[in-house]
Amino acid sequence: MMTKNRPVFLDLTQLSFPIPAIMSVGHRASGILMVLAIPFLVYMLDLSLSGAEGFATAQSVFSGWFAKLLMFVLLWALLHHLLAGIRYLLIDFDIFVDKEMGTLSAKAVMVAAPILALFIEVLL
Amino acid sequence: MSRQASGLRAWVLQRISAAYIGLYIIYATGHFIINPPQSHADWKAWVADPLVAFALSLFFALLLVHAWVGIRDVLIDYVKPIMARVALLTLFGLGFLGCGLWAAKVIFLAAMPS
């Protein structure tokens, strides 16, 4: 058991947020966003397999600008989560552990995720 | 589930499931870019392939395990009142269970010879 009276400092306005911290918050936020999208994913699978009509409806859902924007946000979340996750795995194996590489790899995740998301959205 | 998915076991589960989910999504995205399903029959035939049906079922199972371990960490970190925490854990747990059964039903029906 941890002691109950250990010092806790959680004033968000006083804490500093270097790039790796922002990337880490993004990893959590993207995870929560995708969790909320799981029922929608299963619904789309159900709809697209329900018949020719459902398949056409599922396809048409992705045609509007709002759906495209939502798709981009979800792809961004997915890629941020995936790339940040790979970075954490590498850190488990003692790669990118020092301060310079930690910051550089966090920056790479932040920049690469939206670019790759846009690229995949165009291809799909 | 929560007691089985804590500590070192949760840590290992999260990494193993992440590896499969990540590789599967990369494979599936590549497949859909190169060879997008043109019709319902086309799409259903792909899902009905025993290997695809198995891989897709495993994907959903591990996705829900991964989501559970992740959301459990977030709720334990940020929701301190015990009743609210238990209520939210129950809500997400039942939600994931429901999604898993729903996905299993959809894949099973698609894979059934009709």
Side-chain angles (χ1 to χ4, degrees):
Chain A
M1 250 341 249
M2 271 183 285
T3 58
K4 293 263 191 231
N5 55 357
R6 71 205 156 90
V8 175
F9 184 79
L10 285 173
D11 185 348
L12 292 178
T13 59
Q14 295 289 308
L15 288 170
S16 81
F17 283 90
I19 297 284
I22 296 168
M23 191 224 65
S24 176
V25 171
H27 188 234
R28 281 210 151 178
S30 59
I32 295 167
L33 183 70
M34 286 189 289
V35 158
L36 299 178
I38 289 175
F40 178 70
L41 176 69
V42 183
Y43 172 72
M44 290 306 287
L45 183 72
D46 193 356
L47 181 68
S48 66
L49 285 168
S50 65
E53 212 171 296
F55 183 80
T57 312
Q59 272 188 327
S60 68
V61 164
F62 295 107
S63 56
W65 69 267
F66 185 72
K68 283 199 164 73
L69 183 69
L70 200 69
M71 182 77 179
F72 170 73
V73 171
L74 279 172
L75 273 173
W76 185 4
L78 175 66
L79 282 156
H80 185 98
H81 203 82
L82 179 65
L83 293 176
I86 291 170
R87 178 177 172 276
Y88 286 138
L89 268 184
L90 292 174
I91 288 173
D92 283 345
F93 289 105
D94 270 342
I95 302 165
F96 297 155
V97 176
D98 63 292
K99 194 175 173 184
E100 283 74 34
M101 284 310 286
T103 306
L104 191 68
S105 57
K107 269 185 199 155
V109 168
M110 298 282 292
V111 172
I115 294 173
L116 274 173
L118 200 63
F119 188 62
I120 293 172
E121 170 126 13
V122 170
L123 280 178
L124 275 173
Chain B
M1 177 82 198
S2 73
R3 215 165 290 166
Q4 276 88 45
S6 59
L8 183 63
R9 192 196 294 232
W11 187 89
V12 171
L13 266 179
Q14 203 64 337
R15 277 148 187 81
I16 291 172
S17 57
Y20 182 82
I21 296 164
L23 291 172
Y24 188 82
I25 288 176
I26 291 167
Y27 160 73
T29 306
H31 174 81
F32 290 134
I33 288 172
I34 295 164
N35 191 15
Q38 299 296 337
S39 65
H40 170 253
D42 200 13
W43 170 229
K44 193 177 169 181
W46 186 72
V47 176
D49 182 295
L51 208 64
V52 174
F54 174 73
L56 194 60
S57 303
L58 188 60
F59 166 75
F60 275 105
L62 290 176
L63 178 69
L64 292 166
V65 166
H66 192 84
W68 170 251
V69 174
I71 211 78
R72 182 183 167 280
D73 281 349
V74 172
L75 289 176
I76 288 174
D77 280 350
Y78 299 119
V79 183
K80 298 297 178 188
I82 193 73
M83 287 310 288
R85 184 189 286 179
V86 169
L88 282 169
L89 283 171
T90 308
L91 181 75
F92 279 104
L94 290 177
F96 290 155
L97 207 60
C99 281
L101 292 172
W102 186 9
K105 185 195 125 193
V106 168
I107 296 167
F108 180 77
L109 285 180
M112 285 275 285
S114 52

